[in-house]
Amino acid sequence: MIDLTKEIWQTMCTNKLRTILTGISVAWGILMLILLLSISQGVYNMSKGFTSKNDPLRISVWAGTTSLPWKGLKEGRTIKLRARDMEEVAKSNTEYIASVEGNLRLTAQVSTNKDYLSSRVTGTFPEHFNGRYTLRQGRFLNQADLRDQRKVAVLNNKSASVLFNDTLNVVGKLIKVGNSAFTVVGVYAHEWEDDVYIPFSTAYALSGYYDKMWENQIHLKNVTNEEQSAKAERDARNAYAKLQNFDPKDDNAIYTFDRYASSIEQERSNRILTMAMWIIGILTLITGIVGVSNIMFVSVKERTHEIGIRRAIGAKPRKILGQIIAESIALTTIFGYLGIVFGVLAVEGIKYALRNASFPLRPEVDLTIAIEVLLALVIAGALAGIVPAIKATKVSPVEALRDE
């Protein structure tokens, strides 16, 4: 093994320029593969993080205007999402629909003796917070708040800073919503939402039982495929149609967005993106493989006499084959490793450059990518050397000894 290592090193050092130029093409191919796969992983993490924050197990529903006549009623009627209908919609498919919740927006000023907000006041359900926000202090709304119509509120951390000049000791303090006093029970963080959330039942009472909402959220359960979420959506639409008296086939009467199906489609897109990155990276790497293969062909040609002597004194073809492939793998591995190092440094450079970017794209090199690239590297080295190695084993000892 030591003799083989020394021989490989001596061969590489004999033609330094040729070895370095060929190695650069290998290193560049590996560097590009690392970059592409890391960016693909960053896109995947970004989309996965966005999906998880927005609770994919739900269907959003918005009211629209009918575009089809139905049972003597003309088109053009405005549909209303009513609070009293949510329970009936939830009963339309108890297998896949866990609950239906709505948001009720109030026109009320939120203030303290220090300052006031222009944020919206939204009455909502505890399910609204499922995975969508980062809790900074206290808690979110719960079923007891909803049941007892408690006057409690959850603030955005920026709103807490405006109202109290403090974001660390806000829980338990009082704010005014209109003319009513509310106790702050939690503080959340979000990229763009800054609503002041209060229990839906409390908002419903404060509004004078105003029975119109701007959206509903249908929360799903036991859903493991798109067919199941589609059935839940279809049954809910039929329930809305029956309650609001419109054609179930009228897509303009209510608008729905199946977030579960959207998350599945996003997963497919991410897989396609990763596959595309692999293809582009491999094609780039092939350039280096061709270079290694060419240098091994030249090496075999230059050592024809040497190979003939070895064959003449009894060296078996598989030993010659193994030596040439080993040289190819060694050349590819050494410069491929340099490509991995520079690739990781390039990824870290991109992460540093994007540290203050508004979009959360963070390319990364995880253990899976490193192992995949390492395997690609070894396979590439073996493929680059196999054809020249086969040619070396076919060298006739007699003809090789005549070669000058």
Side-chain angles (χ1 to χ4, degrees), residues 161-232:
S161 178
V162 171
L163 292 174
F164 300 103
N165 293 328
D166 185 9
T167 58
L168 299 176
N169 302 293
V170 175
V171 173
K173 293 186 178 180
L174 296 178
I175 61 172
K176 288 186 69 175
V177 178
N179 296 318
S180 301
F182 279 69
T183 302
V184 178
V185 295
V187 178
Y188 71 93
H190 195 271
E191 289 86 349
W192 61 84
E193 289 191 17
D194 62 354
D195 293 35
V196 175
Y197 289 107
I198 64 175
F200 180 87
S201 56
T202 307
Y204 196 38
L206 289 176
S207 69
Y209 300 97
Y210 178 67
D211 201 27
K212 182 180 178 182
M213 295 169 292
W214 66 280
E215 75 168 330
N216 281 171
Q217 298 292 335
I218 301 172
H219 295 273
L220 304 176
K221 62 180 181 179
N222 305 323
V223 172
T224 57
N225 56 57
E226 292 174 89
E227 289 74 19
Q228 292 171 342
S229 67
K231 187 177 189 310

Side-chain angles (χ1 to χ4, degrees), residues 138-288:
R139 63 173 176 84
F140 292 125
L141 302 178
N142 58 35
Q143 291 297 333
D145 298 331
L146 197 69
R147 182 186 65 246
D148 299 336
Q149 294 187 10
R150 293 175 178 172
K151 291 185 177 181
V152 294
V154 179
L155 299 178
N156 178 277
N157 60 330
K158 295 179 182 177
S159 300
S161 178
V162 171
L163 292 174
F164 300 103
N165 293 328
D166 185 9
T167 58
L168 299 176
N169 302 293
V170 175
V171 173
K173 293 186 178 180
L174 296 178
I175 61 172
K176 288 186 69 175
V177 178
N179 296 318
S180 301
F182 279 69
T183 302
V184 178
V185 295
V187 178
Y188 71 93
H190 195 271
E191 289 86 349
W192 61 84
E193 289 191 17
D194 62 354
D195 293 35
V196 175
Y197 289 107
I198 64 175
F200 180 87
S201 56
T202 307
Y204 196 38
L206 289 176
S207 69
Y209 300 97
Y210 178 67
D211 201 27
K212 182 180 178 182
M213 295 169 292
W214 66 280
E215 75 168 330
N216 281 171
Q217 298 292 335
I218 301 172
H219 295 273
L220 304 176
K221 62 180 181 179
N222 305 323
V223 172
T224 57
N225 56 57
E226 292 174 89
E227 289 74 19
Q228 292 171 342
S229 67
K231 187 177 189 310
E233 181 180 2
R234 186 167 57 252
D235 291 344
R237 177 175 284 277
N238 290 336
Y240 280 115
K242 183 178 180 181
L243 292 165
Q244 294 287 332
N245 212 15
F246 65 83
D247 189 340
K249 297 179 181 178
D250 188 351
D251 292 334
N252 292 320
I254 59 171
Y255 303 102
T256 60
F257 178 50
D258 187 344
R259 296 180 185 274
Y260 179 81
S262 177
S263 69
I264 296 298
E265 187 62 34
Q266 185 65 51
E267 287 284 341
R268 290 198 193 101
S269 300
N270 288 331
R271 285 195 293 269
I272 292 172
L273 175 63
T274 301
M275 187 181 299
M277 292 299 189
W278 264 107
I279 292 172
I280 295 171
I282 291 295
L283 289 175
T284 306
L285 186 57
I286 285 174
T287 305

Side-chain angles (χ1 to χ4, degrees), residues 78-187:
T78 300
I79 299 300
K80 297 179 181 180
L81 298 179
R82 302 176 302 193
R84 62 178 180 269
D85 293 340
M86 291 189 294
E87 186 175 351
E88 292 301 318
V89 174
K91 291 178 181 177
S92 66
N93 188 325
T94 55
E95 182 179 4
Y96 298 133
I97 295 179
S99 63
V100 180
E101 53 107 343
N103 291 330
L104 183 62
R105 297 245 171 102
L106 298 180
T107 303
Q109 187 181 80
V110 179
S111 62
T112 61
N113 57 2
K114 290 185 177 2
D115 212 331
Y116 69 93
L117 296 175
S118 56
S119 303
R120 297 176 302 194
V121 178
T122 302
T124 192
F125 290 74
E127 293 84 356
H128 179 80
F129 300 96
N130 290 349
R132 300 174 67 181
Y133 308 95
T134 301
L135 184 64
R136 290 290 178 84
Q137 287 183 63
R139 63 173 176 84
F140 292 125
L141 302 178
N142 58 35
Q143 291 297 333
D145 298 331
L146 197 69
R147 182 186 65 246
D148 299 336
Q149 294 187 10
R150 293 175 178 172
K151 291 185 177 181
V152 294
V154 179
L155 299 178
N156 178 277
N157 60 330
K158 295 179 182 177
S159 300
S161 178
V162 171
L163 292 174
F164 300 103
N165 293 328
D166 185 9
T167 58
L168 299 176
N169 302 293
V170 175
V171 173
K173 293 186 178 180
L174 296 178
I175 61 172
K176 288 186 69 175
V177 178
N179 296 318
S180 301
F182 279 69
T183 302
V184 178
V185 295
V187 178

Side-chain angles (χ1 to χ4, degrees), residues 299-313 315 320 323-324 388-389 391-397 400-401:
S299 178
V300 169
K301 180 65 177 175
E302 291 177 346
R303 296 158 62 190
T304 301
H305 192 72
E306 174 194 333
I307 292 171
I309 294 173
R310 290 189 177 188
R311 292 291 305 279
I313 62 176
I320 303 296
Q323 180 183 345
I324 301 300
K391 181 180 179 182
T393 61
K394 292 181 180 179
V395 173
S396 170
L401 290 171

